[in-house]
Amino acid sequence: MDKKVIGILIAGALLAVIPWLGLPTFYESFIYLVLHWIILATSWNILSGYTGYFSFGHGAFFGAGMYTTAVLTVNFNMPFLWSLPFAGLVAALIGLAVGFVVFRTRKVRGELFALLTLAVTFVLATIVLNTPIDGGPGVYMTSVAVPKFGPSASSSIYLIALAVAVATVLIAYLIHGSRLGTGLFAIHDDEDVAEVMGVPTFRYKMVALCMSCGLAGLAGGIHALFVSYVTAGETFNITVPLTVVLMSVLGGTRHWAGPALGAVVITALQYAFTAGDSAVVGKAVTGAVLISAILFMPNGILYYFLKRRKKAGLQAPVEKNEAAAVPLSDGEVITRAPHVLSNEILLDVREVSKAFSGVQALNKVSFNVRKGEILGLLGPNGSGKSTFINVASGHFASDGGEILLGGIDLARLPAHAVSHCGVARTYQIPRPFAHMSVLDNVSMAAMFGSNSLDRKASIREAWECLEFTGLAAKALSLPEDLNLHQRKFLELARALASRPQLVLLDEVLSGLTPGEINEAVRMIQKIRAQGATIIFVEHVMRAVMALTDRVVVLHHGQMIASGLATDVMQQPEVITAYLGKQHA
Ligand code: ADP
Ligand code: MG
């Protein structure tokens, strides 16, 4: 078994012994509170830390669990333990209902999501206060029988909280290293790109939200019995979400153990400084400690210390295949690789249109691409080339027309499904996942692309693609450490890692030096030799001439010419489009 899993289980087992040590009850209730916050902060982090969708609604889901248990045990005489699954379920269902509406809207990200989730808390509080669920006076749970696990009632509640805390941390850990976790972290960095690379973003967010809310609901159910008097004012207030956010941010949201660490630190601080006579001074000290911790460790305590340890203990990675990173000499002439074109049509574009508030970016564009072909998509700036790639890759929905790939209409598919059909693309302005290493950026494409490789196989594939693009020496760097040429090649490596049958390249050569262009042209020739079909958007004519079998020229969203590059570039309407009317 995984060492960390064993570690979490051992920590749980050690803590389980505490009720039998005969310590003063204060310790037990203090550790209970730590566990309580560990569950809340860690569950919050599964959605909000991993995906970056900061929720301020965790109080709502926690409260939903609290009231579910209170109502079921008090009004329906359900045994406490039986009520717990319902507490989790009700919270998860409310979460799913919110997610179902909110996650469908592209605009609801960032602050808007945070505010919306906060609003859910107030709506729920209003419902609870104005219905028989509470009605105002609160719900007393003193009559509810506490199941007997430990030597006392409070120790039994402690043990239940411990079991749920261990389960929550385990879940957070397992998700962190899983395919789901990789997808969630990609959503965090760039949701649109994640979707285009094959991550089913809506489903992943729903799964994360469901788990996050369900676990918060469980924490609520347990806490209802702990406090034994449930009131809406105590439950649905801003303190719960603020505390979990603070704990997670302090500990580190990108690490599975960050929120748990934050929960320990903050609960301990609260007790150490605010108990006794000096409560006011204590609060100020707690605030000061938190502010300085966040100022000096903005990525969280865990990240800060792990990074320091890495810096001290880790040498630069083995420089793999350094030779490939050396660009070819500037003067080298690129030649056309001999290629016999198949007659089989791979992509059939029929009357595709796309408008942006009045600008007709694509106007009934029709052309086809043969299997194994490199088709140049040309046209002056603003002619609709990138829009075509955006529509074909599912980044934007088209307004009409069909894009048929082997009989499947890509225009009707969500972006992740387009990727699963074997379509990969690059972005004109590189959009790497900023917090992932270069290697992870590429392996993620292999993991979610048409082959859906497992983690090990996708890392192997990623190394190959990085060697192919000459980036192996940079594999463990973050994208911010790459220069433009390397970023462009990273885009290329990501596109290749999914082993696509169709690659859409959007100006991969712009901004490169002549030597780098030669290198890239060679690479694109090799990609085709491996069996891929390529749509190549480019302004560098020398590369267009060397690479393309045919070209299609767009102007104001309309196709104005198609055929061999040498012929098409002579046509008067193409010259006019490129140089303006006065040159015609
Ligand atoms: P190209 O890649 O050929 O330079 P684009 O496809 O990027 O051109 O743009 C075509 C037209 O569509 C331009 O007029 C551009 O301003 C417009 N356009 C492209 N993307 C958007 C967008 N997201 N919102 C509004 N207008 C856009
Ligand atoms: Mg463009």
Side-chain angles (χ1 to χ4, degrees), residues 442-455:
V442 181
S443 72
M444 124 109 224
M447 200 185 273
F448 288 96
S450 50
N451 283 357
S452 301
L453 300 180
D454 64 25
R455 178 167 291 274

Side-chain angles (χ1 to χ4, degrees), residues 320-344:
K320 284 189 133 198
N321 197 6
E322 185 86 80
V326 180
L328 304 173
S329 69
D330 287 11
E332 190 169 333
V333 184
I334 20 175
T335 47
R336 275 186 74 89
H339 184 75
V340 185
L341 210 57
S342 130
N343 278 330
E344 190 187 333

Side-chain angles (χ1 to χ4, degrees), residues 356-357 359-361 379-388 390 396 428 506-507 537 539 554:
F356 297 103
S357 50
V359 178
Q360 193 67 41
N381 280 332
S383 57
K385 306 177 300 291
S386 293
T387 303
F388 174 77
N390 282 328
F396 290 141
Q428 186 173 344
D506 197 354
E507 300 200 24
V537 173
H539 283 304
L554 296 181

Side-chain angles (χ1 to χ4, degrees), residues 46 50 170-178 180-182 184 211:
I46 292 174
Y50 290 3
L170 271 179
I171 290 173
Y173 169 66
L174 294 175
I175 291 179
H176 191 274
S178 71
L180 172 64
T182 308
L184 296 178
M211 283 201 242

Side-chain angles (χ1 to χ4, degrees), residues 26 30 265-276 278 282-283 285-286:
F26 161 77
F30 169 70
V265 172
I266 290 185
T267 320
L269 276 177
Q270 277 172 346
Y271 263 84
F273 292 119
T274 58
S278 51
K283 274 192 181 153
V285 173
T286 310

Side-chain angles (χ1 to χ4, degrees), residues 298-354:
N299 291 314
I301 301 174
L302 260 181
Y303 180 83
Y304 181 78
F305 284 105
L306 290 177
K307 205 176 76 178
R308 293 192 88 175
R309 207 179 65 187
K310 248 190 204 163
K311 265 193 186 159
L314 221 130
Q315 279 303 310
V318 195
E319 305 261 307
K320 284 189 133 198
N321 197 6
E322 185 86 80
V326 180
L328 304 173
S329 69
D330 287 11
E332 190 169 333
V333 184
I334 20 175
T335 47
R336 275 186 74 89
H339 184 75
V340 185
L341 210 57
S342 130
N343 278 330
E344 190 187 333
I345 288 176
L346 179 77
L347 190 80
D348 192 5
V349 179
R350 296 182 186 168
E351 305 213 319
V352 169
S353 297
K354 175 75 189 171

